[in-house]
Amino acid sequence: MNAEVIIIGGGIQGCASAYYLAQAGVKVIVLEKDWVSRHASGVNAGGVRSLGRHIAEVPLSIASIEMWQNLSEELSADTGFRRKKLINIAADESDMQTLRARERQMHALGYYHEQILDDKELRQHLPNVAEHCVGGVLSHTDGYAIPYHTTSAYRRAAQALGAVFIEGEAVENIRKVGQDWHIQSQTSDYQARHLVNCAGAWADKIAVMIGDNVPMSYSAPMLMITTRMPHFATPVVGAVSRPLSFKQFENGTVLIGGGAKGFADREHNRTRLDYQKLAVGAQNVAEFFPIMKRASINRMWSGLEAYMPDNLPVIGFSPSSENALHAFGFSAHGFQMGPIVGKIISQLIINRKTSFDLTPFKADRFERKVL
Amino acid sequence: MTESLQETAQISCDILIIGAGPAGMMAAITACENGADVIVLHDKPSPGGQIYRNVDNSPLPDANILGEDYTQGGELVARFNACSARVFSSASVWHVGDNGEALFSYQGTTQRVSALEIIVANGAMERPFPIEGWHLPNVMSAGAAQVMLKSDGIVSDDAVFIGTGPLLYLIVAQYLRLGVKVKALIDTTEKANYLKATQQLPKAFAQLGMMTKGLGLLNEIRASGTPCYRFVKDIQISAAEHAKPEQASQVTFQCANETVTLQADQFFLHQGVIPNLNITRSLGLAHHWNAQQLCWQPTLDNWGASSVPYISVAGDCSAIVGAIGAQNMGKIVALNLLYRLDRLKLEKRDELATRAMQDMQQLNRFRAFIDSLYRPRDIHRMPEKSSVVVCRCEEQNLAQLEQAFGEQASGPNELKLMTRCGMGPCQGRMCGTTVSELLAKWRNTGVANVGYYHLRSPMRLLNLEELAKLETVAPRSAQ
Ligand SMILES: Cc1cc2nc3c(=O)[nH]c(=O)nc-3n(C[C@H](O)[C@H](O)[C@H](O)COP(=O)(O)OP(=O)(O)OC[C@H]3O[C@@H](n4cnc5c(N)ncnc54)[C@H](O)[C@@H]3O)c2cc1C
Ligand SMILES: Cc1cc2nc3c(=O)[nH]c(=O)nc-3n(C[C@H](O)[C@H](O)[C@H](O)COP(=O)(O)OP(=O)(O)OC[C@H]3O[C@@H](n4cnc5c(N)ncnc54)[C@H](O)[C@@H]3O)c2cc1C
């Protein structure tokens, strides 16, 4: 089968890229070894957060948050996005100092979307927060979405524009012959001028097939969700220096994250939970929100996610091969970036350039020049 | 022997048994007789399982009305209580790992136990009965009625019982023997099943006594003068109009080409039992579809060993084998583990298991008869009316599932992520089998190709504070 672009990986990055390419009339095929949205993009915490981003990611994240605001209309399907504000809680004075230093840095760069809260303002937004908390920082535009709904919405919108999705198709071999990429699965051959690596926790293997070595690792961040509780928190909640993260959905269930990792077995698509770490997560939530002590945990799970040593993704052209692009290594915060990453990939293929500075995301940024 | 916590800070054993029904009890007795160090975790205050629940402390003045099968359990429970296993009662297991570890709630905390071998013996559950109105208040399962009777001696007057299968007739008969009035028995067994089942007869003959038990109960019910409607279809349970809160108050159905309507305040449904998969599935054991029993079951060898080393399965959670079958299996599995643990020679294992293996084969023939006689109607497993609720927790009806299927959610997990069907507190117990069968029908393929939900721990709701109390043991070298 032939196309102008072949995308490997049917997560949010692959689906969004396919959508923006198809929208521009480009013929694209997405190859997905399992099913679309089976992995991180279907099971993540759904946090749509621009707050507290690494400086290098801020421009992309802000552009993405703007896209999120009317993404459901754009894709003619409910992504589940709700703009609910996001607050990172300061547990003590040292957290407040961290926040003020960050504010100076952000203002100097011309970013004003993060607003510091004092102790009283924090309680206006989160009346149930524990007494010891002293303040926080808030973003008005952030919120959450339903991961599977968002990723499938991109997929279906892309399909409606002619993109082809092939599920149960694992890429096993990649070669470049002349100008064209030859991509092989167990049963089929595909050919395309452009190749995009959106293979999530497996992207380092695809990178190697393309000719790029990347120091990517992978792990299994864990989540747990409660049964419905009386409403007590509207904004999405995080903490400045603690592994705390949760959100209460409109149906009353509370999704608890916090970055604790389980054990990943990517060869078998399997993960195992680390209950000891989940117990610590439970202690954290209960400490910040005593009301949560009464919560009933309904499900716990984890997903496979790719990490880079600096927790920044790889986005852009392959350093070694013409017409190959990477978008992976989102280090547990790539769901929010999906819309803008898809847009950038389409721009790079169609215009060969983008207005964003992608230097911090280069695939060879870890290469040591001198031994 | 009931354990206290202080003595058992870091618990471990040779064989860990989850569930103290007939399978778990027999496994424990067998393992202890041969010197193994055994721990049993059981979520009820006393052993017995579904059939022998509270047999040693019944709230009823005369437990004999529950039947001979029930009172016979007393002997097994007594043997179990006398064996050397360490038994944790009211200990509810919420995680079993393929590394031989289990986590359980006990006295408001989370405890951890590790074992060389694990026997999962958590029993069966009632098959979901997705018909119009089954989700309404005042509609319960017949099993729930029996649990209330055995545990607390509570009964409901003038209730309507709907469905098929020996357990349904048993509970109705138990009610009648207690002098409780039953409004009606609405029997959904298909006429054609009697014919099909008879074809199994030559094979089942060996167990004639057991075979006639269900039919005997049915005769007992009819002789009592309780109205019995047979070969019933098109059942619809509904609430009175404008009733607040909305609760079931009548049932309408077809019987012998007539439409019948009955009023009642309590409806009990039952159409057989299926393995409770929540432990075996979240453990990631291989499963397959059993077309005779219309249920998923873990794939096991003759000794109950699963696809994961160190994990064996016994009793009704392996396939529906009944109380006697469960005991035999408990014994067989335990003997094999004793061999694996070097406590029995191979020949000795085989010798000791011979009788139980033979009994199992006979019982299986009887099963085939029961399974075809009480095979639930297709329409009662795969609803066709768009308003029928499939997922009760998240209130997803057939129309909503069909729509998501149309939007490319073609497997149980995609469907779950799309609709929340199966995401609620019951962990998909009440809709999982229905969803597998529905998708197979829509995709025009076998249920085996469709699969089941990926399940995870906790296997039941877990209090957050209880989890927070999972105590951390840092390795000494790290301190
Ligand atoms: C538990 C958890 C919580 C998270 N919470 C958040 C959050 O709140 N907010 C946020 O912004 N981010 C969050 N993230 C991160 C976010 O989910 C990911 O960064 C993002 O989904 C990555 O998208 P992706 O498309 O790169 O990867 P994936 O969704 O993993 O998709 C990659 C796809 O590539 C396929 N693939 C791999 N190899 C091959 C091959 N050889 N051939 C064919 N296909 C292949 C895989 O099967 C997979 O489907 C979380 C992640 C996890 C795991
Ligand atoms: C509601 C119901 C009522 C039944 N009534 C009868 C009857 O009256 N007569 C009859 O012949 N058959 C009855 N059966 C069928 C019966 O289940 C079997 O015949 C037989 O009891 C199977 O034995 P078992 O040991 O496999 O499972 P069970 O007897 O079910 O024993 C399993 C035990 O494990 C415990 N358990 C489950 N999960 C956990 C956990 N996570 N942690 C700790 N413990 C756990 C359960 O409480 C249960 O006591 C009934 C089945 C059901 C579902």
Side-chain angles (χ1 to χ4, degrees), chain A residues 8-14 31-34 39-41 43-47 53 169-171 198-200 202 206 221 223 303 305 330 332-336:
Chain A
I8 302 172
I12 189 162
Q13 319 301 348
L31 302 178
E32 165 54 53
K33 68 178 169 63
D34 299 307
H39 292 287
S41 302
V43 303
N44 67 58
R53 288 269 169 178
E169 192 75 322
V171 170
C198 295
W202 300 262
I206 301 292
L223 298 172
E305 173 70 346
F330 287 89
H333 46 263
F335 178 60
Q336 189 266 349

mmCIF file of all heavy atoms in Angstrom, chain A residues 8-14 31-34 39-41 43-47 53 169-171 198-200 202 206 221 223 303 305 330 332-336, ligand 1:
data_model
loop_
_atom_site.group_PDB
_atom_site.id
_atom_site.type_symbol
_atom_site.label_atom_id
_atom_site.label_comp_id
_atom_site.label_asym_id
_atom_site.label_seq_id
_atom_site.Cartn_x
_atom_site.Cartn_y
_atom_site.Cartn_z
ATOM 1 N N ILE A 8 3.521 5.842 12.271
ATOM 2 C CA ILE A 8 3.572 4.618 13.075
ATOM 3 C C ILE A 8 3.108 4.965 14.484
ATOM 4 O O ILE A 8 3.747 5.752 15.184
ATOM 5 C CB ILE A 8 4.998 4.036 13.102
ATOM 6 C CG1 ILE A 8 5.450 3.754 11.658
ATOM 7 C CG2 ILE A 8 5.038 2.767 13.943
ATOM 8 C CD1 ILE A 8 6.906 3.372 11.546
ATOM 9 N N GLY A 9 1.981 4.398 14.869
ATOM 10 C CA GLY A 9 1.450 4.636 16.215
ATOM 11 C C GLY A 9 0.123 5.363 16.181
ATOM 12 O O GLY A 9 0.034 6.473 15.655
ATOM 13 N N GLY A 10 -0.916 4.716 16.725
ATOM 14 C CA GLY A 10 -2.244 5.316 16.767
ATOM 15 C C GLY A 10 -2.584 5.817 18.153
ATOM 16 O O GLY A 10 -3.644 5.522 18.694
ATOM 17 N N GLY A 11 -1.684 6.589 18.738
ATOM 18 C CA GLY A 11 -2.003 7.318 19.963
ATOM 19 C C GLY A 11 -2.436 8.722 19.585
ATOM 20 O O GLY A 11 -2.700 9.004 18.407
ATOM 21 N N ILE A 12 -2.493 9.609 20.565
ATOM 22 C CA ILE A 12 -2.981 10.948 20.244
ATOM 23 C C ILE A 12 -2.039 11.670 19.279
ATOM 24 O O ILE A 12 -2.495 12.387 18.384
ATOM 25 C CB ILE A 12 -3.254 11.803 21.503
ATOM 26 C CG1 ILE A 12 -3.963 13.090 21.082
ATOM 27 C CG2 ILE A 12 -1.977 12.102 22.291
ATOM 28 C CD1 ILE A 12 -4.664 13.824 22.194
ATOM 29 N N GLN A 13 -0.732 11.454 19.400
ATOM 30 C CA GLN A 13 0.189 12.165 18.499
ATOM 31 C C GLN A 13 -0.015 11.679 17.063
ATOM 32 O O GLN A 13 -0.074 12.492 16.133
ATOM 33 C CB GLN A 13 1.654 11.976 18.907
ATOM 34 C CG GLN A 13 1.941 12.039 20.407
ATOM 35 C CD GLN A 13 1.539 13.343 21.076
ATOM 36 O OE1 GLN A 13 1.220 14.337 20.406
ATOM 37 N NE2 GLN A 13 1.526 13.353 22.401
ATOM 38 N N GLY A 14 -0.134 10.389 16.894
ATOM 39 C CA GLY A 14 -0.334 9.836 15.553
ATOM 40 C C GLY A 14 -1.675 10.257 14.970
ATOM 41 O O GLY A 14 -1.766 10.641 13.795
ATOM 42 N N LEU A 31 -0.394 3.212 10.999
ATOM 43 C CA LEU A 31 -0.239 1.800 11.353
ATOM 44 C C LEU A 31 -0.187 1.676 12.871
ATOM 45 O O LEU A 31 0.609 2.345 13.526
ATOM 46 C CB LEU A 31 1.053 1.240 10.747
ATOM 47 C CG LEU A 31 1.164 1.352 9.218
ATOM 48 C CD1 LEU A 31 2.511 0.798 8.747
ATOM 49 C CD2 LEU A 31 0.013 0.630 8.532
ATOM 50 N N GLU A 32 -1.031 0.852 13.405
ATOM 51 C CA GLU A 32 -1.116 0.697 14.867
ATOM 52 C C GLU A 32 -1.044 -0.780 15.202
ATOM 53 O O GLU A 32 -1.845 -1.575 14.721
ATOM 54 C CB GLU A 32 -2.418 1.323 15.380
ATOM 55 C CG GLU A 32 -2.813 0.943 16.795
ATOM 56 C CD GLU A 32 -1.733 1.196 17.849
ATOM 57 O OE1 GLU A 32 -1.224 2.338 17.906
ATOM 58 O OE2 GLU A 32 -1.394 0.251 18.589
ATOM 59 N N LYS A 33 -0.097 -1.153 16.068
ATOM 60 C CA LYS A 33 0.110 -2.584 16.322
ATOM 61 C C LYS A 33 -1.032 -3.207 17.123
ATOM 62 O O LYS A 33 -1.296 -4.400 17.015
ATOM 63 C CB LYS A 33 1.447 -2.837 17.030
ATOM 64 C CG LYS A 33 1.544 -2.326 18.443
ATOM 65 C CD LYS A 33 2.905 -2.694 19.028
ATOM 66 C CE LYS A 33 3.157 -1.982 20.334
ATOM 67 N NZ LYS A 33 2.234 -2.319 21.430
ATOM 68 N N ASP A 34 -1.701 -2.427 17.973
ATOM 69 C CA ASP A 34 -2.826 -2.974 18.743
ATOM 70 C C ASP A 34 -4.117 -2.353 18.225
ATOM 71 O O ASP A 34 -4.537 -2.662 17.150
ATOM 72 C CB ASP A 34 -2.614 -2.733 20.232
ATOM 73 C CG ASP A 34 -1.346 -3.425 20.707
ATOM 74 O OD1 ASP A 34 -1.215 -4.630 20.454
ATOM 75 O OD2 ASP A 34 -0.465 -2.765 21.292
ATOM 76 N N HIS A 39 -3.091 2.454 24.282
ATOM 77 C CA HIS A 39 -2.051 2.686 25.286
ATOM 78 C C HIS A 39 -2.199 4.047 25.969
ATOM 79 O O HIS A 39 -3.325 4.467 26.215
ATOM 80 C CB HIS A 39 -0.675 2.456 24.647
ATOM 81 C CG HIS A 39 -0.480 1.002 24.311
ATOM 82 N ND1 HIS A 39 -0.264 0.048 25.269
ATOM 83 C CD2 HIS A 39 -0.561 0.340 23.128
ATOM 84 C CE1 HIS A 39 -0.177 -1.144 24.705
ATOM 85 N NE2 HIS A 39 -0.357 -0.998 23.408
ATOM 86 N N ALA A 40 -1.086 4.727 26.244
ATOM 87 C CA ALA A 40 -1.120 5.953 27.063
ATOM 88 C C ALA A 40 -2.256 6.890 26.657
ATOM 89 O O ALA A 40 -2.951 7.447 27.513
ATOM 90 C CB ALA A 40 0.220 6.675 26.968
ATOM 91 N N SER A 41 -2.481 7.043 25.357
ATOM 92 C CA SER A 41 -3.460 8.029 24.899
ATOM 93 C C SER A 41 -4.896 7.669 25.227
ATOM 94 O O SER A 41 -5.778 8.509 25.114
ATOM 95 C CB SER A 41 -3.323 8.224 23.390
ATOM 96 O OG SER A 41 -2.014 8.645 23.105
ATOM 97 N N VAL A 43 -5.624 5.780 28.219
ATOM 98 C CA VAL A 43 -5.775 5.449 29.644
ATOM 99 C C VAL A 43 -5.120 6.474 30.567
ATOM 100 O O VAL A 43 -4.981 6.234 31.754
ATOM 101 C CB VAL A 43 -5.197 4.045 29.960
ATOM 102 C CG1 VAL A 43 -5.874 2.988 29.106
ATOM 103 C CG2 VAL A 43 -3.692 4.007 29.759
ATOM 104 N N ASN A 44 -4.708 7.619 30.011
ATOM 105 C CA ASN A 44 -4.014 8.586 30.872
ATOM 106 C C ASN A 44 -4.995 9.336 31.759
ATOM 107 O O ASN A 44 -6.197 9.091 31.739
ATOM 108 C CB ASN A 44 -3.154 9.531 30.022
ATOM 109 C CG ASN A 44 -3.991 10.431 29.148
ATOM 110 O OD1 ASN A 44 -4.837 11.182 29.626
ATOM 111 N ND2 ASN A 44 -3.758 10.357 27.846
ATOM 112 N N ALA A 45 -4.459 10.273 32.537
ATOM 113 C CA ALA A 45 -5.284 10.956 33.533
ATOM 114 C C ALA A 45 -6.119 12.076 32.927
ATOM 115 O O ALA A 45 -6.907 12.709 33.628
ATOM 116 C CB ALA A 45 -4.396 11.495 34.648
ATOM 117 N N GLY A 46 -5.924 12.354 31.657
ATOM 118 C CA GLY A 46 -6.757 13.357 30.991
ATOM 119 C C GLY A 46 -6.473 14.788 31.422
ATOM 120 O O GLY A 46 -7.250 15.693 31.121
ATOM 121 N N GLY A 47 -5.384 15.004 32.109
ATOM 122 C CA GLY A 47 -5.057 16.359 32.568
ATOM 123 C C GLY A 47 -4.655 17.237 31.391
ATOM 124 O O GLY A 47 -3.756 16.889 30.636
ATOM 125 N N ARG A 53 4.637 24.194 33.276
ATOM 126 C CA ARG A 53 5.402 23.508 32.225
ATOM 127 C C ARG A 53 6.867 23.949 32.230
ATOM 128 O O ARG A 53 7.186 25.083 32.571
ATOM 129 C CB ARG A 53 4.806 23.846 30.859
ATOM 130 C CG ARG A 53 3.483 23.189 30.598
ATOM 131 C CD ARG A 53 3.698 21.876 29.915
ATOM 132 N NE ARG A 53 2.459 21.097 29.882
ATOM 133 C CZ ARG A 53 2.377 19.901 29.300
ATOM 134 N NH1 ARG A 53 3.421 19.371 28.714
ATOM 135 N NH2 ARG A 53 1.256 19.229 29.316
ATOM 136 N N GLU A 169 -1.541 -3.957 13.243
ATOM 137 C CA GLU A 169 -0.460 -3.979 12.250
ATOM 138 C C GLU A 169 0.829 -3.437 12.875
ATOM 139 O O GLU A 169 0.989 -2.230 13.043
ATOM 140 C CB GLU A 169 -0.880 -3.118 11.053
ATOM 141 C CG GLU A 169 -0.008 -3.259 9.828
ATOM 142 C CD GLU A 169 -0.233 -4.570 9.057
ATOM 143 O OE1 GLU A 169 -0.447 -5.616 9.700
ATOM 144 O OE2 GLU A 169 -0.177 -4.527 7.820
ATOM 145 N N ALA A 170 1.712 -4.342 13.272
ATOM 146 C CA ALA A 170 2.956 -3.932 13.927
ATOM 147 C C ALA A 170 4.063 -3.756 12.897
ATOM 148 O O ALA A 170 4.345 -4.662 12.118
ATOM 149 C CB ALA A 170 3.370 -4.964 14.961
ATOM 150 N N VAL A 171 4.689 -2.603 12.911
ATOM 151 C CA VAL A 171 5.815 -2.357 12.016
ATOM 152 C C VAL A 171 7.021 -3.127 12.536
ATOM 153 O O VAL A 171 7.388 -3.027 13.707
ATOM 154 C CB VAL A 171 6.130 -0.851 11.955
ATOM 155 C CG1 VAL A 171 7.443 -0.620 11.216
ATOM 156 C CG2 VAL A 171 4.982 -0.116 11.294
ATOM 157 N N CYS A 198 5.463 7.962 15.839
ATOM 158 C CA CYS A 198 4.633 8.330 17.006
ATOM 159 C C CYS A 198 4.389 7.081 17.828
ATOM 160 O O CYS A 198 3.262 6.792 18.214
ATOM 161 C CB CYS A 198 3.303 8.913 16.565
ATOM 162 S SG CYS A 198 3.434 10.452 15.683
ATOM 163 N N ALA A 199 5.430 6.297 18.061
ATOM 164 C CA ALA A 199 5.238 4.954 18.605
ATOM 165 C C ALA A 199 5.316 4.903 20.124
ATOM 166 O O ALA A 199 5.540 3.836 20.711
ATOM 167 C CB ALA A 199 6.233 3.988 17.978
ATOM 168 N N GLY A 200 5.127 6.019 20.777
ATOM 169 C CA GLY A 200 4.989 6.035 22.235
ATOM 170 C C GLY A 200 6.122 5.313 22.941
ATOM 171 O O GLY A 200 7.301 5.573 22.683
ATOM 172 N N TRP A 202 7.354 2.602 22.536
ATOM 173 C CA TRP A 202 8.167 1.744 21.662
ATOM 174 C C TRP A 202 8.952 2.581 20.644
ATOM 175 O O TRP A 202 9.558 2.050 19.722
ATOM 176 C CB TRP A 202 7.276 0.743 20.918
ATOM 177 C CG TRP A 202 6.516 -0.160 21.831
ATOM 178 C CD1 TRP A 202 6.880 -1.428 22.180
ATOM 179 C CD2 TRP A 202 5.286 0.114 22.514
ATOM 180 N NE1 TRP A 202 5.945 -1.943 23.039
ATOM 181 C CE2 TRP A 202 4.962 -1.027 23.266
ATOM 182 C CE3 TRP A 202 4.436 1.224 22.570
ATOM 183 C CZ2 TRP A 202 3.822 -1.094 24.063
ATOM 184 C CZ3 TRP A 202 3.295 1.147 23.373
ATOM 185 C CH2 TRP A 202 2.994 0.001 24.107
ATOM 186 N N ILE A 206 11.581 2.131 16.891
ATOM 187 C CA ILE A 206 11.346 2.668 15.553
ATOM 188 C C ILE A 206 12.479 3.629 15.176
ATOM 189 O O ILE A 206 12.968 3.619 14.037
ATOM 190 C CB ILE A 206 9.975 3.389 15.497
ATOM 191 C CG1 ILE A 206 8.840 2.416 15.856
ATOM 192 C CG2 ILE A 206 9.743 4.035 14.130
ATOM 193 C CD1 ILE A 206 8.594 1.309 14.853
ATOM 194 N N PRO A 221 3.388 4.774 34.623
ATOM 195 C CA PRO A 221 2.737 5.602 35.641
ATOM 196 C C PRO A 221 1.369 5.027 36.004
ATOM 197 O O PRO A 221 0.690 4.440 35.167
ATOM 198 C CB PRO A 221 2.609 6.977 34.982
ATOM 199 C CG PRO A 221 2.877 6.776 33.537
ATOM 200 C CD PRO A 221 3.680 5.523 33.403
ATOM 201 N N LEU A 223 -2.522 5.106 38.084
ATOM 202 C CA LEU A 223 -3.666 5.944 38.454
ATOM 203 C C LEU A 223 -4.640 5.129 39.286
ATOM 204 O O LEU A 223 -4.664 3.907 39.200
ATOM 205 C CB LEU A 223 -4.397 6.426 37.192
ATOM 206 C CG LEU A 223 -3.610 7.293 36.221
ATOM 207 C CD1 LEU A 223 -4.418 7.518 34.951
ATOM 208 C CD2 LEU A 223 -3.256 8.626 36.857
ATOM 209 N N GLY A 303 -0.400 2.820 32.522
ATOM 210 C CA GLY A 303 -0.202 2.766 31.079
ATOM 211 C C GLY A 303 1.279 2.862 30.781
ATOM 212 O O GLY A 303 2.071 3.280 31.637
ATOM 213 N N GLU A 305 4.413 4.495 29.142
ATOM 214 C CA GLU A 305 4.755 5.847 28.713
ATOM 215 C C GLU A 305 6.256 5.959 28.465
ATOM 216 O O GLU A 305 7.059 5.342 29.160
ATOM 217 C CB GLU A 305 4.304 6.849 29.796
ATOM 218 C CG GLU A 305 4.720 8.285 29.580
ATOM 219 C CD GLU A 305 4.000 8.983 28.424
ATOM 220 O OE1 GLU A 305 3.357 8.305 27.601
ATOM 221 O OE2 GLU A 305 4.106 10.228 28.347
ATOM 222 N N PHE A 330 7.117 11.849 25.628
ATOM 223 C CA PHE A 330 6.395 12.964 26.262
ATOM 224 C C PHE A 330 6.450 12.934 27.791
ATOM 225 O O PHE A 330 5.942 13.830 28.440
ATOM 226 C CB PHE A 330 4.957 13.010 25.732
ATOM 227 C CG PHE A 330 4.915 13.513 24.317
ATOM 228 C CD1 PHE A 330 5.033 12.638 23.242
ATOM 229 C CD2 PHE A 330 4.837 14.873 24.048
ATOM 230 C CE1 PHE A 330 5.049 13.103 21.929
ATOM 231 C CE2 PHE A 330 4.840 15.346 22.747
ATOM 232 C CZ PHE A 330 4.950 14.456 21.677
ATOM 233 N N ALA A 332 5.065 11.567 30.364
ATOM 234 C CA ALA A 332 3.851 11.603 31.196
ATOM 235 C C ALA A 332 3.084 12.919 31.173
ATOM 236 O O ALA A 332 2.238 13.168 32.020
ATOM 237 C CB ALA A 332 4.130 11.182 32.636
ATOM 238 N N HIS A 333 3.389 13.792 30.184
ATOM 239 C CA HIS A 333 2.513 14.958 30.069
ATOM 240 C C HIS A 333 2.231 15.307 28.608
ATOM 241 O O HIS A 333 2.093 16.469 28.257
ATOM 242 C CB HIS A 333 3.061 16.161 30.843
ATOM 243 C CG HIS A 333 4.532 16.415 30.614
ATOM 244 N ND1 HIS A 333 5.498 15.973 31.473
ATOM 245 C CD2 HIS A 333 5.166 17.057 29.630
ATOM 246 C CE1 HIS A 333 6.684 16.331 31.015
ATOM 247 N NE2 HIS A 333 6.519 16.986 29.894
ATOM 248 N N GLY A 334 2.136 14.303 27.762
ATOM 249 C CA GLY A 334 1.978 14.552 26.334
ATOM 250 C C GLY A 334 0.554 14.607 25.823
ATOM 251 O O GLY A 334 0.326 14.965 24.664
ATOM 252 N N PHE A 335 -0.408 14.283 26.668
ATOM 253 C CA PHE A 335 -1.795 14.305 26.198
ATOM 254 C C PHE A 335 -2.202 15.742 25.861
ATOM 255 O O PHE A 335 -2.750 16.015 24.789
ATOM 256 C CB PHE A 335 -2.691 13.713 27.286
ATOM 257 C CG PHE A 335 -4.157 13.721 26.951
ATOM 258 C CD1 PHE A 335 -4.637 13.044 25.839
ATOM 259 C CD2 PHE A 335 -5.059 14.400 27.763
ATOM 260 C CE1 PHE A 335 -5.999 13.049 25.535
ATOM 261 C CE2 PHE A 335 -6.410 14.413 27.468
ATOM 262 C CZ PHE A 335 -6.884 13.741 26.354
ATOM 263 N N GLN A 336 -1.891 16.645 26.771
ATOM 264 C CA GLN A 336 -2.240 18.050 26.545
ATOM 265 C C GLN A 336 -1.588 18.576 25.267
ATOM 266 O O GLN A 336 -2.129 19.445 24.592
ATOM 267 C CB GLN A 336 -1.786 18.883 27.759
ATOM 268 C CG GLN A 336 -2.272 20.333 27.746
ATOM 269 C CD GLN A 336 -1.275 21.311 27.130
ATOM 270 O OE1 GLN A 336 -0.116 20.962 26.888
ATOM 271 N NE2 GLN A 336 -1.726 22.535 26.868
HETATM 272 C C1 LIG C 1 -1.098 6.744 33.506
HETATM 273 C C2 LIG C 1 -0.757 7.930 32.663
HETATM 274 C C3 LIG C 1 -1.253 9.180 33.013
HETATM 275 C C4 LIG C 1 -0.961 10.295 32.230
HETATM 276 N N1 LIG C 1 -1.539 11.495 32.531
HETATM 277 C C5 LIG C 1 -1.396 12.539 31.689
HETATM 278 C C6 LIG C 1 -2.070 13.767 31.917
HETATM 279 O O1 LIG C 1 -2.838 13.880 32.864
HETATM 280 N N2 LIG C 1 -1.873 14.786 31.063
HETATM 281 C C7 LIG C 1 -1.040 14.679 29.984
HETATM 282 O O2 LIG C 1 -0.884 15.651 29.260
HETATM 283 N N3 LIG C 1 -0.393 13.523 29.730
HETATM 284 C C8 LIG C 1 -0.556 12.450 30.546
HETATM 285 N N4 LIG C 1 0.088 11.269 30.290
HETATM 286 C C9 LIG C 1 0.979 11.179 29.149
HETATM 287 C C10 LIG C 1 0.230 10.979 27.842
HETATM 288 O O3 LIG C 1 -0.752 9.987 27.985
HETATM 289 C C11 LIG C 1 1.207 10.552 26.772
HETATM 290 O O4 LIG C 1 2.298 11.428 26.749
HETATM 291 C C12 LIG C 1 0.580 10.573 25.388
HETATM 292 O O5 LIG C 1 -0.637 9.861 25.396
HETATM 293 C C13 LIG C 1 1.530 9.965 24.403
HETATM 294 O O6 LIG C 1 0.883 9.805 23.177
HETATM 295 P P1 LIG C 1 1.550 8.968 22.029
HETATM 296 O O7 LIG C 1 0.639 9.037 20.885
HETATM 297 O O8 LIG C 1 2.947 9.429 21.875
HETATM 298 O O9 LIG C 1 1.719 7.505 22.642
HETATM 299 P P2 LIG C 1 0.743 6.230 22.759
HETATM 300 O O10 LIG C 1 -0.603 6.608 23.162
HETATM 301 O O11 LIG C 1 1.470 5.267 23.595
HETATM 302 O O12 LIG C 1 0.670 5.697 21.281
HETATM 303 C C14 LIG C 1 1.732 5.053 20.660
HETATM 304 C C15 LIG C 1 1.156 3.933 19.836
HETATM 305 O O13 LIG C 1 2.173 3.398 18.999
HETATM 306 C C16 LIG C 1 1.903 2.041 18.798
HETATM 307 N N5 LIG C 1 3.118 1.370 18.335
HETATM 308 C C17 LIG C 1 4.270 1.220 19.019
HETATM 309 N N6 LIG C 1 5.148 0.510 18.286
HETATM 310 C C18 LIG C 1 4.537 0.209 17.103
HETATM 311 C C19 LIG C 1 4.920 -0.520 15.951
HETATM 312 N N7 LIG C 1 6.124 -1.082 15.854
HETATM 313 N N8 LIG C 1 4.032 -0.644 14.928
HETATM 314 C C20 LIG C 1 2.771 -0.086 15.009
HETATM 315 N N9 LIG C 1 2.382 0.609 16.101
HETATM 316 C C21 LIG C 1 3.238 0.761 17.137
HETATM 317 C C22 LIG C 1 1.483 1.593 20.181
HETATM 318 O O14 LIG C 1 0.734 0.378 20.146
HETATM 319 C C23 LIG C 1 0.679 2.787 20.677
HETATM 320 O O15 LIG C 1 -0.714 2.605 20.486
HETATM 321 C C24 LIG C 1 -0.146 10.159 31.088
HETATM 322 C C25 LIG C 1 0.358 8.896 30.747
HETATM 323 C C26 LIG C 1 0.039 7.784 31.508
HETATM 324 C C27 LIG C 1 0.547 6.444 31.095
#
